[in-house]
Amino acid sequence: MICILRLVAILALGIAIAECKVRSYADYMICRFQTPDQRHVIEDIVRPLTNDYDIWTRNEDFIDIRLPKKVGKLEGCDVMIENLDQVIEESFPNRMEIDEVRSSGQVPFDTLGSSDFFFHEYRDLETIYTWLDLLEHSFPHLVTIEWVGETYEGRSLKALHISTKNPETNPEKKTIIMTGGIHAREWISISSVCWTVYQLLTKYGVSKKETKYLDHLDFLIIPVFNPDGYAYTWEHDRLWRKNRQETFVPSCPGIDIDHSFGFQWTSNNEFPCSEEYSGEQPFEAIEASSWDHYLNTTKGEYKVYGFLDFHSYSQEVLYPYAYSCEAVPGDLENLLELSYGLSKAIRNRSNKYYKVTAACKDRGSDLTPGLGSGSALDFMYHHRAHWAFQLKLRDTGNHGFLLPSKFIAPVGKETYAAVKYFCSFILDPSV
């Protein structure tokens, strides 16, 4: 009951956080260039006009860039989002909903009933962490919250260990790992991981599939891999991407965690102010270093069969490698089979198409060496996981990182369809 009452209070507080003055992007727009030649766009079109830009996403078909409106209309550019501030505002919790909580005292989460209220809106870090505590309290036979490390700003990096702890049904500790929120502004990745957690727990003992999954698999899940950055998106800058640790340029904090892992790490020659700054050495990002120790020391005896890393946006299923398109995984055939299976599971659930492609092409490392280096995907695939994928969730650009909260449930459902396919594949005795 204490956890539930605390969650009500924090949800009410959440609207106060949302009402804080976050950075304005009134003078910016999101532009799409329909071309695979990303180097030409950056070097010949963008940089001659401004150094004030941020690449939102890139792939084989297009590149989306945040640009100042003062650059005017550019050749080959389609404006995807013109009023960024409005779209940012729409991604925060609805004030009317919080007012209803304040006035009615409604309990937003009932472990024996519906989780609808929690997933009505995106939730700030403290609310999510309290919700995780409530899950541990409500499902003590299945959930243990484990401390992975401490961030630069002193926040805890938390993992959920979901397991029936039954050596008879899972003697080798066969494990699936899921992560979300490596990039702070990708809120839909965090809500989708939370949705998956809730489905696994509430359907155990009720559904044959979920019961089988938890009886025969362990799950290590980090919903918010970048706590400092995520908190910063709520309080100061909705579009912040990196963590918040100090760099050699005091006015430019933050390292891109997904460029910090110690497999095929190379400096990407970006200045610390860049959203893709990789640091000066591998594992310099505190979160990546903490994860390495947790995974390979604390959980070293666990047999990691699968890794799913959730991101946004562009609706893609990415398989290794990210660092180079010339490097070919040894079990490429299995990776492709699984990739298309994940994509098909999503399409069967929601009729949304997720493109299957090599991570190197999405990262642009086939054009510029270093852009795909040090990724969590490559690190996990090379060191621990038999099969590893990155899922870039909705949408395809109309909202980008600012997907409205009405899509939390639909994206959660299609994501969970992919997770179920993944679990069933791994438990297939012929694999």
mmCIF file of all heavy atoms in Angstrom, residues 66 81 115 180 216 357-358 377 399 426:
data_model
loop_
_atom_site.group_PDB
_atom_site.id
_atom_site.type_symbol
_atom_site.label_atom_id
_atom_site.label_comp_id
_atom_site.label_asym_id
_atom_site.label_seq_id
_atom_site.Cartn_x
_atom_site.Cartn_y
_atom_site.Cartn_z
ATOM 1 N N ARG A 66 17.929 18.044 -37.521
ATOM 2 C CA ARG A 66 17.393 19.261 -36.916
ATOM 3 C C ARG A 66 18.254 20.446 -37.354
ATOM 4 O O ARG A 66 19.476 20.441 -37.172
ATOM 5 C CB ARG A 66 17.426 19.157 -35.387
ATOM 6 C CG ARG A 66 16.652 20.273 -34.673
ATOM 7 C CD ARG A 66 17.088 20.430 -33.250
ATOM 8 N NE ARG A 66 18.357 21.128 -33.163
ATOM 9 C CZ ARG A 66 19.301 20.865 -32.269
ATOM 10 N NH1 ARG A 66 19.172 19.875 -31.424
ATOM 11 N NH2 ARG A 66 20.419 21.582 -32.241
ATOM 12 N N ILE A 81 8.946 18.260 -39.371
ATOM 13 C CA ILE A 81 8.350 18.894 -38.200
ATOM 14 C C ILE A 81 8.736 20.368 -38.227
ATOM 15 O O ILE A 81 9.912 20.709 -38.133
ATOM 16 C CB ILE A 81 8.830 18.253 -36.881
ATOM 17 C CG1 ILE A 81 8.533 16.746 -36.861
ATOM 18 C CG2 ILE A 81 8.163 18.935 -35.692
ATOM 19 C CD1 ILE A 81 9.055 16.034 -35.620
ATOM 20 N N SER A 115 -3.190 -2.156 -16.033
ATOM 21 C CA SER A 115 -2.070 -1.222 -15.935
ATOM 22 C C SER A 115 -2.317 0.000 -16.807
ATOM 23 O O SER A 115 -1.418 0.793 -17.035
ATOM 24 C CB SER A 115 -0.776 -1.900 -16.393
ATOM 25 O OG SER A 115 -0.862 -2.215 -17.777
ATOM 26 N N GLY A 180 16.473 -0.460 -22.606
ATOM 27 C CA GLY A 180 15.829 0.691 -23.237
ATOM 28 C C GLY A 180 16.449 1.975 -22.727
ATOM 29 O O GLY A 180 17.108 2.001 -21.688
ATOM 30 N N HIS A 216 11.514 -21.266 -17.944
ATOM 31 C CA HIS A 216 12.694 -21.795 -18.630
ATOM 32 C C HIS A 216 13.719 -20.740 -19.021
ATOM 33 O O HIS A 216 14.746 -21.064 -19.633
ATOM 34 C CB HIS A 216 12.254 -22.558 -19.892
ATOM 35 C CG HIS A 216 11.463 -23.791 -19.598
ATOM 36 N ND1 HIS A 216 10.092 -23.770 -19.406
ATOM 37 C CD2 HIS A 216 11.835 -25.079 -19.432
ATOM 38 C CE1 HIS A 216 9.659 -24.998 -19.169
ATOM 39 N NE2 HIS A 216 10.698 -25.809 -19.176
ATOM 40 N N THR A 357 17.610 -4.695 -41.640
ATOM 41 C CA THR A 357 18.844 -4.221 -42.273
ATOM 42 C C THR A 357 20.020 -4.393 -41.332
ATOM 43 O O THR A 357 19.848 -4.538 -40.114
ATOM 44 C CB THR A 357 18.712 -2.734 -42.686
ATOM 45 O OG1 THR A 357 19.819 -2.354 -43.488
ATOM 46 C CG2 THR A 357 18.658 -1.834 -41.464
ATOM 47 N N ALA A 358 21.212 -4.407 -41.884
ATOM 48 C CA ALA A 358 22.424 -4.475 -41.065
ATOM 49 C C ALA A 358 22.607 -3.166 -40.315
ATOM 50 O O ALA A 358 22.373 -2.082 -40.853
ATOM 51 C CB ALA A 358 23.637 -4.756 -41.941
ATOM 52 N N LEU A 377 25.012 -3.205 -29.237
ATOM 53 C CA LEU A 377 24.648 -4.343 -30.072
ATOM 54 C C LEU A 377 25.857 -5.209 -30.392
ATOM 55 O O LEU A 377 25.843 -6.425 -30.179
ATOM 56 C CB LEU A 377 23.999 -3.842 -31.368
ATOM 57 C CG LEU A 377 23.675 -4.895 -32.421
ATOM 58 C CD1 LEU A 377 22.579 -5.830 -31.936
ATOM 59 C CD2 LEU A 377 23.272 -4.232 -33.738
ATOM 60 N N HIS A 399 6.725 12.207 -36.200
ATOM 61 C CA HIS A 399 6.972 12.731 -34.858
ATOM 62 C C HIS A 399 8.399 12.482 -34.396
ATOM 63 O O HIS A 399 8.859 13.119 -33.452
ATOM 64 C CB HIS A 399 6.009 12.099 -33.838
ATOM 65 C CG HIS A 399 4.575 12.398 -34.102
ATOM 66 N ND1 HIS A 399 3.765 11.557 -34.850
ATOM 67 C CD2 HIS A 399 3.785 13.442 -33.744
ATOM 68 C CE1 HIS A 399 2.549 12.071 -34.922
ATOM 69 N NE2 HIS A 399 2.531 13.209 -34.265
ATOM 70 N N ILE A 426 14.116 -18.971 -29.015
ATOM 71 C CA ILE A 426 15.219 -19.399 -28.167
ATOM 72 C C ILE A 426 14.892 -20.702 -27.426
ATOM 73 O O ILE A 426 15.772 -21.533 -27.180
ATOM 74 C CB ILE A 426 15.598 -18.286 -27.193
ATOM 75 C CG1 ILE A 426 16.315 -17.162 -27.965
ATOM 76 C CG2 ILE A 426 16.482 -18.777 -26.045
ATOM 77 C CD1 ILE A 426 16.620 -15.926 -27.170
#
